[in-house]
Amino acid sequence: MKENMKTIPAMDMILSQDWVCSWIARLGRAYVKDIISRNLQILRSRLKDNDSEIFSWEEFRRTCIKSFTHSGLKRVINATGVVIHTNLGRSLLPEEAINAAETSAKYYTAIEYDTENGTRAGRNIHVEGLICSLTGAESALAVNNNAGAVMLCLYAFAHGREVIVSRGELVEIGGAFRLPDIMSLSGAKLSEVGTTNRTYLKDYEAAITPDTSMIMKVHRSNFRITGFTHEPERKELAELAHSHNIIFMDDAGSGYAAGNFPGEPEIRQCIHDGADIVTFSGDKIFGGPQSGIIAGRRDLIDRLKHHPMNRALRPGKMTIAALEATLRLYLNGEYGRIPTIRMLSTDTDTLRHNAEELAREISRLIRAEVHVIETDDASGGGSCPGEMLKGWGVFVRGNIQAELRSMDIPVICTAKDGGVIFHVRTLQEGEAKIIAESVAKIFSE
């Protein structure tokens, strides 16, 4: 074991290696040295536990590079065809939102200051009026995400009281947002009604007690129930809630304000149908920054504004700036300037043309099977459940996914039948060229 320990090179020798120097240039000497030191500690522990194991330069190199590669947030190319890809950052911001966020980051801003009167003001004023104009609500509030919006509403209006929810709407989104858990954490008492596939208005009515605070409708944003089903209309639930002087809350989930997206509630319609509170995400199908938007009755929103939890959930200045810019695009009818809406709405002829151009460029650079292929794309982000988007992509023969992920700008794509597929729907300007060059580099090695 002692002899094996002696085979481990000194730190100075490791830091002088060419492959280490290239990472030092990217990440800095102190950080690279720290990662190498940690991997050396792990290696020494392994050698102590296994007398037969010896130091391997190549294995150590791979281990360190893997650690370096996972360091820091990096740009990737989304060639999966999933527009609102949660693992890849969900919606891309419009240029107007990017510019607004950059300005707020670069300069001081009147985020909580009234320049006319020289007094303190709330940061919500920059977006509240715009949200109200867009949704038809009396008042509105922005928080850091929709899970926070739901939590704030439940805690403020139903802590220690009952909330009625259909069993068919007890959703789980991702690995951490399970409605029953959020309900419990908020201090609200979940009252389940109906069955998984059929819930009637009478089920809600029978569950109302003096302890009931609200009826809550939850958008099934990442699954669909079909077949023998029934659920009351929003208007019916609103009328029932109001007849018993309780709140009707509608969590619209992925949320959007305009467009034709199957299965997605239109926020203005939710308000029109009588919802007292509507919550939805700003960074999903809406196409803005990560945020949660709460729209509804003025008296209820006022209570939320002054709730202590609102302080913990408030968005930062860059989020406010980007959200404001995105809202203005909606109000001006400039939906095509919002990348998420644009990608979701791209026609198949354009997609096919783009795929053919990419295929020609790749074929020019490599000798392998390359052809245009029809694809099933998706909106993603827990929106339009079960609805696939017809798209086009480029198939390249070869199991090269791992190599594509290891590029300076990793390319994330799908795999099928011994090859990879680059879905063109989610490619941004200039990225087709990067993909072609990445594929050429892999095939030349």
Side-chain angles (χ1 to χ4, degrees), residues 267-303:
I267 306 303
R268 179 175 284 273
Q269 189 63 48
C270 296
I271 297 292
H272 181 267
D273 288 344
D276 300 302
I277 289 288
V278 180
T279 61
F280 62 98
S281 294
D283 59 333
K284 292 187 177 181
I285 211 165
F286 187 73
Q290 177 178 304
S291 53
I293 299 172
I294 309 171
R297 278 170 35 192
R298 181 173 289 106
D299 61 322
L300 298 180
I301 299 295
D302 284 345
R303 286 170 60 183

Side-chain angles (χ1 to χ4, degrees), residues 117-130:
N117 299 310
T119 57
R120 182 172 181 169
R123 65 183 58 199
N124 193 61
I125 61 172
H126 304 288
V127 296
E128 181 175 10
L130 300 174

Side-chain angles (χ1 to χ4, degrees), residues 1-299:
M1 185 265 288
K2 290 182 179 179
E3 291 300 317
N4 288 346
M5 287 290 188
K6 292 179 181 179
T7 65
I8 300 177
M11 177 64 77
D12 288 344
M13 180 182 176
I14 297 174
L15 291 174
S16 68
Q17 299 293 304
D18 289 343
W19 63 272
V20 177
C21 291
S22 65
W23 283 103
I24 289 175
R26 297 187 202 180
L27 304 176
R29 182 182 175 86
Y31 185 63
V32 168
K33 184 177 179 180
D34 183 60
I35 288 180
I36 291 174
S37 178
R38 294 185 189 190
N39 283 322
L40 285 175
Q41 289 176 8
I42 295 171
L43 179 59
R44 290 189 180 100
S45 296
R46 281 171 44 194
L47 292 177
K48 287 179 181 179
D49 295 337
N50 187 353
D51 291 343
S52 63
E53 187 167 356
I54 61 174
F55 175 78
S56 166
W57 258 116
E58 186 56 35
E59 181 184 354
F60 183 72
R61 178 176 175 274
R62 285 198 303 267
T63 301
C64 288
I65 288 177
K66 185 176 182 180
S67 299
F68 298 149
T69 302
H70 290 166
S71 300
L73 185 63
K74 63 176 64 178
R75 173 192 172 181
V76 301
I77 292 176
N78 178 9
T80 67
V82 180
V83 177
I84 311 167
H85 200 306
T86 298
N87 296 349
L88 303 183
R90 292 187 179 168
S91 286
L92 303 182
L93 293 180
E95 282 296 324
E96 290 80 357
I98 294 170
N99 293 337
E102 181 182 17
T103 298
S104 73
K106 191 174 181 179
Y107 302 103
Y108 289 106
T109 57
I111 183 67
E112 290 186 359
Y113 186 77
D114 184 337
T115 55
E116 182 177 348
N117 299 310
T119 57
R120 182 172 181 169
R123 65 183 58 199
N124 193 61
I125 61 172
H126 304 288
V127 296
E128 181 175 10
L130 300 174
I131 296 170
C132 291
S133 295
L134 192 64
T135 64
E138 293 178 352
S139 187
L141 176 67
V143 294
N144 60 1
N145 61 28
N146 192 50
V150 172
M151 172 67 79
L152 176 60
C153 291
L154 289 173
Y155 198 96
F157 302 136
H159 186 76
R161 301 187 65 189
E162 294 176 353
V163 177
I164 302 173
V165 183
S166 168
R167 287 188 173 90
E169 297 176 355
L170 297 179
V171 303
E172 174 180 323
I173 301 174
F177 186 101
R178 306 184 78 191
L179 186 64
D181 295 341
I182 295 295
M183 195 82 70
S184 176
L185 192 61
S186 71
K189 303 173 185 176
L190 174 61
S191 176
E192 305 175 28
V193 297
T195 62
T196 302
N197 58 317
R198 293 179 75 84
T199 303
Y200 297 91
L201 189 66
K202 63 183 180 182
D203 296 322
Y204 288 92
E205 188 168 18
I208 296 175
T209 72
D211 200 32
T212 301
S213 170
M214 68 168 66
I215 292 173
M216 182 178 181
K217 182 172 181 58
V218 183
H219 178 42
R220 294 188 287 265
S221 59
N222 58 359
F223 69 99
R224 176 182 289 181
I225 298 176
T226 60
F228 190 61
T229 64
H230 180 82
E231 60 182 299
E233 297 291 334
R234 281 184 175 81
K235 286 183 178 180
E236 295 178 298
L237 292 174
E239 290 171 359
L240 176 62
H242 298 158
S243 69
H244 288 80
N245 198 30
I246 59 177
I247 296 169
F248 174 43
M249 175 177 166
D250 192 346
D251 174 26
S254 46
Y256 82 105
N260 180 26
F261 301 107
E264 291 302 309
E266 207 280 322
I267 306 303
R268 179 175 284 273
Q269 189 63 48
C270 296
I271 297 292
H272 181 267
D273 288 344
D276 300 302
I277 289 288
V278 180
T279 61
F280 62 98
S281 294
D283 59 333
K284 292 187 177 181
I285 211 165
F286 187 73
Q290 177 178 304
S291 53
I293 299 172
I294 309 171
R297 278 170 35 192
R298 181 173 289 106
D299 61 322

